[in-house]
Amino acid sequence: ILLSPTLDVCFDSGLISFTNDGEIIISSQLSNEDQLFVGINNNMKLKKISHSHLPFLKYHREHVLLK
């Protein structure tokens, strides 16, 4: 998955993840103010997801994403 540097850091830190349809999931740990500061919003979506990404995304949602 190719992400901008800001989104990549948030993804690696568990502050965001993505559904199997590519819709963004934002952790409750990321305040609305911080979302605005880094340019993250609920309308963001991955443009392309391959079938091979799905197990990784599932793992990320279950074990990395901060609830």
Side-chain angles (χ1 to χ4, degrees):
I1 299 173
L2 183 61
L3 300 172
S4 71
T6 302
L7 291 177
D8 188 52
V9 168
C10 290
F11 184 80
D12 290 346
S13 301
L15 296 172
I16 63 169
S17 193
F18 298 93
T19 67
N20 287 349
D21 294 327
E23 295 178 13
I24 194 166
I25 302 168
I26 302 172
S27 168
S28 61
Q29 303 283 325
L30 191 61
S31 70
N32 290 338
E33 183 178 287
D34 288 339
Q35 289 177 43
L36 287 173
F37 181 75
V38 296
I40 293 174
N41 66 69
N42 288 320
N43 297 321
M44 298 178 101
K45 187 173 181 176
L46 295 173
K47 292 182 180 181
K48 185 177 181 181
I49 300 175
S50 74
H51 185 69
S52 64
H53 290 137
L54 299 181
F56 176 72
L57 287 173
K58 180 180 181 198
Y59 178 88
H60 189 270
R61 288 190 303 268
E62 292 176 356
H63 300 284
V64 180
L65 178 64
L66 301 172
K67 308 286 181 196

